[in-house]
Amino acid sequence: MTPHPRGWLTLCVGMLLTVSGCAPAADPATGTAQAAKEPAPTLAQAPEPPPTSHGVGLEKAAAMQKARARPEKIFDMPYLQRDLDNGLRVIIVKTDYPDIVSLQIPVQTGSRNEIEPGKSGFAHFFEHMMFRGTEKYPPAEYQQILTNAGADQNAYTTDDYTNYHITFTKGDLEKMLEIEADRFMNLSYTEDQFRTEALAVKGEYLKNFSNPVNKMLERIRDLAYTTHTYKHTTMGFLADIEDMPNQLEYSKVFFSRWYRPEKAAIILVGDLDPDATMDMVEQYWGPWEPGTYTADIPAEPPQEAPKYEHLQWESPTQPWLVMAFHGPRMNPSNRGMQAMDLLSELYFAENSELYQKLVIVDQSVDQFFTYFPDRKDPGLLFIFARLTDAEHGLAVRDAINDTLVQARTELIDKRKLTNTKSRQRYRFTAQMDNSEGIAAVLASYVQFRRDPEIINEVYAQYDTLSPEDLQDFANRVFIDRRRTMLSMSSEESFAGIDEMEPLDARVTAINNAPPVDISVVQMRSTSSPLVDVGFIFKAGAAFDPPGKKGLAMLTAAMLSDGGSKSRSIQEINDALYPMAAGFDSQVDKEIVRLAGTVHKDNLANWFELAGDQLLNPGWREEDFERLKTRLSNAIRTDLVGNNDEELGKEVLYEMIYGPEHPYGTYNLGATDDIAALTLEDVQAFYQQYYVAENVKVGLAGGYPEDFAGTVTKALSGLPSGEAPALELPEPPAVEGYSALIVEKETPAVAVSFGFPIDVKRGDPDWVALWLARSWLGEHRNSSGRLYNRIREDRGMNYGDYAYIEYFPRGMYQFHPDTNLSRQQQIFQVWIRPLRNNNDAHFATRVALHELQALVETGLTQEAFESTRNYLDKFVSLLAKTQSRQLGYMLDSNYYQTPGFTTYVRDGLKSLTLEDVNAAISRHLQIDNIKFVFIAKDAADLKQRLVSDTPSPIEYNTPKPELAEEDATIAARELGLEAGAVAVVPGEAIFK
């Protein structure tokens, strides 16, 4: 369709595009993923549009073009187009590029037209002869004129046409038109010249076919075709080339047949006067006499079975693998080649997953590219891979086949398709920055139908192609019977390369497989510019095997911060940076959440990156070691060393549940276990738990309607398995009071205490108990009873709160994280750090005193109503953002409750004071509690606890109103026995 912007072909890809000079295309020696589209033939069978009237001026022509233009026209330059009386089509484009004019003369003859036996390669050979001069301008004089003009001149031949091109300064326009018209009408050469040039063509053949790529292309075309003239390359068969010196008389017949005005076009682009130029063209080219010859090109019958052959290269060379599929002809109306162009770019270009895998990551291939040339008749579409070692052959073949199956069974992301179309349009436009480039593009399109509007027709069809269309065309072309495969190496054979599972069978198996039922929770908004995406897996710390605590956390980290197979984490972060987006993980006991928020404009690009990390993890050893070190440091330094408050809360969970319970270890793991983990452990955990049957998707915001389908189809690429079941034992019974003191260097004393409760969200008593908890100690809220009694009344610390659900990271945030869903919970009181052991002892006694009062007397009507009113409004703040709304919706799905705000408000509405006090009585108690203290002087604190040492409080200012109560609280007996209080050094925690 479009000549590649990278310029001219160096190796002349497989003589599909043989030249005397060079032709527009990419060089396969560079290993580019997509070799260029050579100048494209158009639909020959389509009737030509009526020619423009003789004498139409540029302004009128421009108006006509504008009237027929559509907004998406990619070629919108005004042009003057006219047919001479002899049938010659003339197209003139005036540009603003000073002084330069380019003349291109595409002739409708290529190797496709070589239908007589023994005459292959003649179109290319005759291109050579066109430089042998005329009686008026012999070769030397012709060349001297070009030299004096400082002109660039050359020609090239393709399967479907031959193009002659000259670029020069405008002062030489008339002379160039004269000498070119002369050689097209009056070509003259002697038998000696003819036979000499035949030897030069043979030399060109031998030169070109010393390259394995050209030899492979010659052989694979011969193998793939049985009837059509595409069976031979543009160079032709060697036997025919060797016989060319004997074809003098046929050369005259060939010239008479094909070098006729009705089979050619004159394209002039540059700094010129269109009307005056048209007059010159008519002056010099008007006398050219038309012809009557037409060729009957034999149709190729359908290939009925796959073909394979191995080609042994006589000298040492790297092995090659080439697959070729019979494809469609270029025809704007059926969109076949446009679809194949897009498939080539999406699945095989340099930024494709396959290229990244083979060339960048595995390095099993050092050159990988496709060549999908446009052809007037159905042609071959090639995939080339040069192996770095023959041992990679089977793996490379399988990777290509996997991609072909993927193209046939998976829909490409719409945004990715849109971006690819955009890239094609901009790449096309990039060629139009000079007169020669514009002329070359026009020549590549108009040589058959001879109408520049075909460019706009082609690109309009690109715009209509959908992911479903591409999948449909992939299923028409990438099928077993259409494939011809060739391998090449210095060896006699390539063992096993042709022994593979048929593509069609694999596609049938995938299409007939029962679909994976992936649950999607959706909150679509037509107004939100943001999109939240969450992937929920039942793969939390409770599933860590014995001796491998931290495996769930490390696996999640490798998925969110370890890169993908095709991109390092730095590349991913660089790509996410301008989006202001990320991909993060959160690990709890049962649930792992991988999630991100992104602007809807960047959703497709974000999902490509995040989805790639999830579906195709990088598993790089350096990332594994980095994240393992980071995880250990998060335990030893960030938690144990630097965060007494969170440490106390996490130790309490471990103390309550014990080592035998799945909830009994820290989510981040144990440092000794983490040190022993291997990358293989992580990969095995991923294979077991990150399966399609174990994922739930959450979507919120301004995502397109079909995005859910895109996500679920992508996630069906996860490993297959079963959703794990987690049967939890009852938590160990808590009998009496027991305490654990974590001894470490710290200036204050942190306190947490609690006990298991048999209530979770969704249970009948949950809303009632949640209300009681709020009254007692709403997180980071000054209205709670504990806050007022410990901080406000007595000024002992920064805050004091109560919980009936797991609430980590409380010192950093005001509202709880979502997606910490659990089957079992504990009641917990968090007393923020106190000044010393005495104050810690006293604050603990205050908290117990208040808890006891709540248990024994319950709430008052006033307290109940005020707390209920508060929560009825506060619940909206908990779900105030789109991300939190989605998180709560996913939690509601876990707990099988209505949406969180509805669930809470409905529960509050029907709740009575009696309901709340009954729930308090059933679930809260004062007799069986576990305590955790983080303190510097553990011996002193233990002595205070076991001896029930009074803990009188000292104030900076007298508080006589508290004196009596303080005395009672300071003497409150906890009844802790010496054996019920343990001391453990900080460095031993979570080890």
Side-chain angles (χ1 to χ4, degrees), residues 197-207 235 238 241-242:
E197 195 62 37
L199 291 176
V201 170
K202 181 177 180 180
E204 183 179 351
Y205 175 93
L206 296 175
K207 170 186 73 68
M235 285 294 292
L238 180 59
I241 293 172
E242 290 176 333

Side-chain angles (χ1 to χ4, degrees), residues 373-671:
D374 298 314
R375 290 291 177 260
K376 179 178 177 180
D377 296 329
L380 290 178
L381 313 178
F382 300 91
I383 304 169
F384 292 84
R386 188 173 77 175
L387 311 178
T388 55
D389 193 286
E391 67 180 10
H392 302 312
L394 301 184
V396 170
R397 176 207 65 191
D398 291 345
I400 296 172
N401 284 339
D402 290 345
T403 300
L404 295 172
V405 170
Q406 181 184 7
R408 292 180 59 181
T409 59
E410 299 181 13
L411 292 177
I412 199 71
D413 180 81
K414 277 190 174 181
R415 180 61 180 269
K416 191 173 183 178
L417 176 56
T418 299
N419 288 342
T420 301
K421 293 176 182 178
S422 175
R423 174 180 169 80
Q424 283 197 321
R425 292 182 72 89
Y426 285 123
R427 188 167 58 184
F428 174 88
T429 305
Q431 303 167 95
M432 312 287 282
D433 67 341
N434 63 84
S435 296
E436 184 178 38
I438 296 168
V441 168
L442 285 170
S444 73
Y445 279 92
V446 307
Q447 78 286 3
F448 272 64
R449 207 177 79 186
R450 306 191 306 171
D451 179 9
E453 290 306 312
I454 194 173
I455 300 174
N456 294 319
E457 293 177 31
V458 166
Y459 277 86
Q461 292 290 7
Y462 276 122
D463 290 341
T464 68
L465 286 163
S466 67
E468 291 78 10
D469 293 327
L470 296 192
Q471 186 180 50
D472 176 57
F473 281 109
N475 275 293
R476 299 187 198 184
V477 174
F478 297 142
I479 58 179
D480 293 306
R481 67 177 179 84
R482 283 180 174 264
R483 172 160 57 186
T484 301
M485 188 167 69
L486 190 74
S487 59
M488 172 184 276
S489 70
S490 302
E491 307 300 323
E492 292 184 1
S493 64
F494 207 135
I497 199 71
D498 62 332
E499 299 169 3
M500 54 188 170
E501 183 180 3
L503 294 173
D504 299 345
R506 292 181 58 187
V507 171
T508 299
I510 292 172
N511 290 337
N512 293 339
V516 178
D517 185 15
I518 295 175
S519 174
V520 183
V521 175
Q522 297 197 59
M523 292 176 48
R524 188 165 178 267
S525 167
T526 57
S527 60
S528 175
L530 299 179
V531 180
D532 286 279
V533 183
F535 307 107
I536 303 294
F537 292 88
K538 205 171 185 180
F543 297 96
D544 283 343
K548 296 184 179 181
K549 302 304 180 182
L551 182 54
M553 180 66 72
L554 190 54
T555 302
M558 285 293 289
L559 297 179
S560 63
D561 200 22
S564 64
K565 286 182 180 178
S566 59
R567 301 175 179 89
S568 69
I569 189 59
Q570 184 60 50
E571 290 172 321
I572 289 173
N573 289 338
D574 288 346
L576 291 173
Y577 177 79
M579 304 181 200
F583 187 52
D584 304 310
S585 59
Q586 174 184 278
V587 178
D588 191 38
K589 292 290 185 279
E590 298 183 35
I591 300 300
V592 172
R593 181 187 68 198
L594 298 159
T597 302
V598 64
H599 193 280
K600 62 183 180 181
D601 292 349
N602 298 316
L603 177 60
N605 291 336
W606 177 90
F607 183 61
E608 180 184 354
L609 297 167
D612 198 27
Q613 289 177 271
L614 175 58
L615 297 170
N616 304 293
W619 302 140
R620 296 176 181 84
E621 191 69 40
E622 59 270 25
D623 289 317
F624 174 73
E625 292 299 330
R626 170 178 59 86
L627 294 172
K628 187 163 75 166
T629 298
R630 189 176 76 180
L631 185 56
S632 294
N633 291 343
I635 298 172
R636 294 264 58 85
T637 302
D638 299 337
L639 181 69
V640 177
N642 301 336
N643 197 331
D644 294 351
E645 297 181 279
E646 293 297 317
L647 176 62
K649 292 193 292 181
E650 295 296 346
V651 171
L652 179 64
Y653 273 92
E654 184 179 62
M655 185 182 179
I656 287 175
Y657 286 106
E660 302 304 318
H661 192 284
Y663 283 8
T665 54
Y666 183 37
N667 287 340
L668 271 65
T671 54

Side-chain angles (χ1 to χ4, degrees), residues 816-857:
D817 289 323
T818 59
N819 306 138
L820 301 172
S821 310
R822 297 186 175 194
Q823 299 178 49
Q824 296 177 358
Q825 299 283 0
I826 71 170
F827 170 80
Q828 180 180 15
V829 169
W830 176 31
I831 302 174
R832 304 197 73 173
L834 291 307
R835 293 168 293 187
N836 51 50
N837 287 344
N838 181 80
D839 282 7
H841 198 180
F842 183 85
T844 302
R845 284 167 159 159
V846 175
L848 290 172
H849 176 78
E850 296 299 334
L851 177 59
Q852 182 175 358
L854 177 63
V855 170
E856 291 178 353
T857 64

